[in-house]
Amino acid sequence: MPRPLGELEDAVMTRVWKWNRPVTVREVLEDLQQERSIAYTTVMTVLDNLHQKGWVRREAEGRAYRYEAVSTRAAYAAALMNEAWSRSDNPAAALVAFFGMMSPEQREALSDAVRMVAGPDNPPSDEGGQGR
């Protein structure tokens, strides 16, 4: 399970995920500079750290590198949720509490996801006998 990204790592990875293509330090720098003052070497170090941690792969292009995400933001979020859930001493209670925090839109997305995972040959169980 990956450690949660730090604030600057998340800001950099957000761009890499959003653009969904190999990016240069310069591209990330210029986009970040619209929000904060940051040095080229700082962005370069963050991308190098993300490479060492396995979040991005890189390919040399001249004297620079192009960086590309190894997985998606959705996979990262899923891994964080799974890690948090697996640490609970009562996973069922943790899920109930988590579902209670969800907005109606999030609960609908969850229902859609359960239907997608279950597939047409294996619909979600309706233990209470109550239809929708």
Side-chain angles (χ1 to χ4, degrees), residues 8 10 12 19 38 41 51 56 66 68-69 74 78 88 91 96-97 114:
L8 190 51
D10 186 68
V12 169
W19 295 333
I38 190 166
T41 54
H51 175 255
V56 296
R66 283 201 172 267
E68 186 174 17
S88 173
V96 169
V114 168

Side-chain angles (χ1 to χ4, degrees), residues 17-120:
W17 281 319
K18 178 177 71 172
W19 295 333
N20 196 29
R21 61 172 173 76
V23 300
T24 64
V25 172
R26 176 79 47 208
E27 290 173 310
V28 175
L29 171 73
E30 289 173 357
D31 199 57
L32 282 171
Q33 284 179 330
Q34 295 177 27
E35 298 172 3
R36 62 175 85 191
S37 177
I38 190 166
Y40 180 93
T41 54
T42 301
V43 177
M44 184 175 63
T45 299
V46 169
L47 279 164
D48 185 59
N49 290 344
L50 289 167
H51 175 255
Q52 291 177 27
K53 292 177 180 181
W55 286 104
V56 296
R57 63 179 146 261
R58 66 184 180 192
E59 189 170 315
E61 184 176 279
R63 292 176 29 184
Y65 288 107
R66 283 201 172 267
Y67 295 86
E68 186 174 17
V70 170
S71 67
T72 64
R73 181 179 275 289
Y76 167 67
L80 290 178
M81 289 187 287
N82 187 55
E83 174 69 11
W85 183 53
S86 69
R87 289 181 181 212
S88 173
D89 60 348
N90 188 339
L95 283 175
V96 169
F98 179 63
F99 297 157
M101 295 177 198
M102 294 175 134
S103 69
E105 294 80 14
Q106 289 170 321
R107 283 193 294 277
E108 184 62 31
L110 175 65
S111 294
D112 291 345
V114 168
R115 281 192 292 276
M116 287 172 34
V117 170

